[in-house]
Amino acid sequence: MKALALWLAAAALCPGVAAQATWYVDVNGTPPGTGTALDPYTSIQYAIDQPTTVDGDELLILPGNYFENLALSNRTLTLRGRDGAFVTRVDGDFMGPALAAENSDLAVIGLTFQRGTGAGGPPSVANGNGGGIRSVQSDVHVLDCGFTGNVGVLGGGIYTLLGSLLVENSNLNGNQADSGGGLFAAESALEMIDSLVFSNFALPGDGGGVAFFGAGFPDCTLTGCDVFGNSASRAGGGLWCQQADDLAVTDCVVRDNDCGTTGGGADLQGAIVNLASSVFEQNQASSGGGLFIGDAEEFVSIAAGCIFRENTATDDGGGALIVSRDGASITNSLFQLNEAHRGAGLYLGGAFAGLSEVYVQALIVSNRALGADAEGAGLLIQDGRVRVASATVRGNAANPLVSPGTPLGGGLRVLAGASVLLDTVLITENVAGNELGASG
């Protein structure tokens, strides 16, 4: 990614440096063409393969539907749709990936990739993965692009392995894979900015919208993205992230996603997790309806106005379920109108390591714990050292006359393994069955 960024910067500052020719492609021209504005090439792959197309060049692609399965190896190129993604489409026709890149630096701008499939195409190490774009050991920058109707084993829309991927102002919708319906990043640095990820599916796996598997501990960053209407059979309806060195979600909206196990909105298990100014709403899962953070290896930070609203979990943690080995800080956040059997607003569970502490400063209101023996409608603390300060727990209800049982902790439920300090906390108007109060 650094090499590509430096190359793009150099191109902007020094337009006359090192060839950097522009070759024209128009599917409606007269084949094969010579690549000039007056006599454009008619095939993108033909343009790529010409000996006159050298590293640093740009292919300027005119509007049309290009039924091609593009392949690049050891190249540094820019593929640009002149009039944008809406009218310039690379159609894989389900014959392989719409674009496959290996050992390349690639900028892709203003194109739609559709009807690609992970079956076939180079390189063989990634066969089956990446219907729209398959990238192996490459740095790829995707800008103003669309990905729709693509399928793959891993990564229906995009698959990247052992490289870096930057996705800006792009849409991934209507793609499907076993895991990573919209996108799957494997052992690759991933950054997404101002992009839409919606109506993608992971069947029967994880990450309906976006899946990330770090392994080598690269970073995963999402900023200003809207992730909605995605579905996964297992974990992470919207987002699924494992083993990121630094996992950050900022100014994002994660809504109306669902999955069969953990993290309807997001299942995040990075070494360091940072969430800020993001909204998780109307997501569904068995545990962690809005957010599931399980066994985070280092510090978890949820801050700067995060909102968890109207999420549902059939078991634990309607708004969020969080487990961290090295403590967590939840500040200036809202947990509202979430539902679960236990810990409807917020569930803090698992073995928090050593002397690490979880700090909670939040507004936890109007959540409902439903079902027999429901507990901790507002906040349930399973174990660990937890400090709740300058917080409000109000109007939550555990099993409000819905079914028989012994509901506990309408506002707050503290289990035997936890050590809890309450500092300037308002707990009011909460209900457990027919009774007011907290339990623990």
Side-chain angles (χ1 to χ4, degrees), residues 97 117-130 134 153 159:
T117 177
S124 60
V125 67
N127 187 34
N129 303 330
R134 175 192 296 166
V153 177
Y159 173 78

Side-chain angles (χ1 to χ4, degrees), residues 59-136:
L59 304 187
L60 189 63
I61 304 166
L62 277 65
N65 293 324
Y66 294 80
F67 292 89
E68 302 191 50
N69 302 100
L70 307 177
L72 303 90
S73 180
N74 298 297
R75 303 302 300 270
T76 298
L77 293 175
T78 295
L79 308 183
R80 184 190 301 271
R82 189 193 67 181
D83 295 345
F86 187 74
V87 295
T88 316
R89 299 173 178 268
V90 180
D91 191 318
D93 200 23
F94 299 116
M95 298 296 290
L99 169 63
E102 183 178 15
N103 296 318
S104 296
D105 285 347
L106 185 63
V108 182
I109 304 168
L111 297 171
T112 289
F113 296 87
Q114 63 186 32
R115 302 200 315 148
T117 177
S124 60
V125 67
N127 187 34
N129 303 330
I133 289 182
R134 175 192 296 166
S135 169
V136 176

Side-chain angles (χ1 to χ4, degrees), residues 139-164:
D139 296 329
V140 178
H141 182 187
V142 174
L143 174 64
D144 298 332
C145 288
F147 297 82
T148 186
N150 301 288
V151 296
V153 177
L154 302 178
I158 304 175
Y159 173 78
T160 178
L161 171 67
L162 297 173
S164 66

Side-chain angles (χ1 to χ4, degrees), residues 70-402:
L70 307 177
L72 303 90
S73 180
N74 298 297
R75 303 302 300 270
T76 298
L77 293 175
T78 295
L79 308 183
R80 184 190 301 271
R82 189 193 67 181
D83 295 345
F86 187 74
V87 295
T88 316
R89 299 173 178 268
V90 180
D91 191 318
D93 200 23
F94 299 116
M95 298 296 290
L99 169 63
E102 183 178 15
N103 296 318
S104 296
D105 285 347
L106 185 63
V108 182
I109 304 168
L111 297 171
T112 289
F113 296 87
Q114 63 186 32
R115 302 200 315 148
T117 177
S124 60
V125 67
N127 187 34
N129 303 330
I133 289 182
R134 175 192 296 166
S135 169
V136 176
Q137 293 182 323
S138 298
D139 296 329
V140 178
H141 182 187
V142 174
L143 174 64
D144 298 332
C145 288
F147 297 82
T148 186
N150 301 288
V151 296
V153 177
L154 302 178
I158 304 175
Y159 173 78
T160 178
L161 171 67
L162 297 173
S164 66
L165 175 64
L166 170 60
V167 179
E168 288 188 87
N169 197 37
S170 295
N171 296 346
L172 294 95
N173 70 284
N175 304 286
Q176 181 172 326
D178 288 9
S179 289
L183 181 156
F184 196 109
E187 302 179 66
S188 300
L190 172 64
E191 183 175 6
M192 301 186 69
I193 301 171
D194 297 334
S195 294
L196 302 180
V197 182
F198 62 98
S199 301
N200 301 285
F201 299 90
L203 306 170
D206 308 302
V210 175
F212 177 93
F213 182 72
F217 299 100
D219 294 345
C220 177
T221 303
L222 279 75
T223 305
C225 294
D226 198 344
V227 181
F228 62 96
N230 303 284
S231 182
S233 295
R234 291 195 306 234
L239 307 172
W240 179 83
C241 179
Q242 304 283 310
Q243 299 182 23
D245 183 37
D246 193 346
L247 169 59
V249 178
T250 305
D251 295 325
C252 292
V253 176
V254 181
R255 57 186 169 90
D256 195 29
N257 304 283
D258 68 84
C259 71
T261 58
T262 54
D267 184 317
L268 309 177
Q269 301 191 43
I272 301 175
V273 179
N274 292 283
L275 308 183
S277 303
S278 294
V279 177
F280 295 77
E281 63 181 356
Q282 298 178 349
N283 302 288
Q284 299 181 42
S286 61
S287 292
L291 171 67
F292 181 89
I293 299 179
D295 199 25
E297 296 179 3
E298 294 188 34
F299 196 75
V300 173
S301 174
I302 299 176
C306 285
I307 296 174
F308 300 84
R309 182 170 52 211
E310 297 182 8
N311 301 287
T312 301
T314 54
D315 296 325
D316 302 329
L321 189 155
I322 299 171
V323 179
S324 175
R325 298 184 193 179
D326 195 33
S329 175
I330 303 168
T331 59
N332 299 317
S333 296
L334 171 67
F335 297 82
Q336 182 182 35
L337 296 171
N338 302 287
E339 294 185 355
H341 180 58
R342 304 195 306 163
L346 173 61
Y347 187 110
L348 299 175
F352 292 93
L355 298 177
S356 61
E357 181 179 79
V358 177
Y359 177 80
V360 179
Q361 186 265 307
L363 180 61
I364 304 173
V365 297
S366 303
N367 301 285
R368 299 204 309 166
L370 302 176
D373 300 321
E375 55 184 334
L379 170 61
L380 187 146
I381 302 172
Q382 178 179 330
D383 55 17
R385 298 176 64 247
V386 179
R387 180 187 177 198
V388 184
S390 301
T392 298
V393 182
R394 184 182 67 236
N396 304 284
N399 192 19
L401 303 179
V402 173

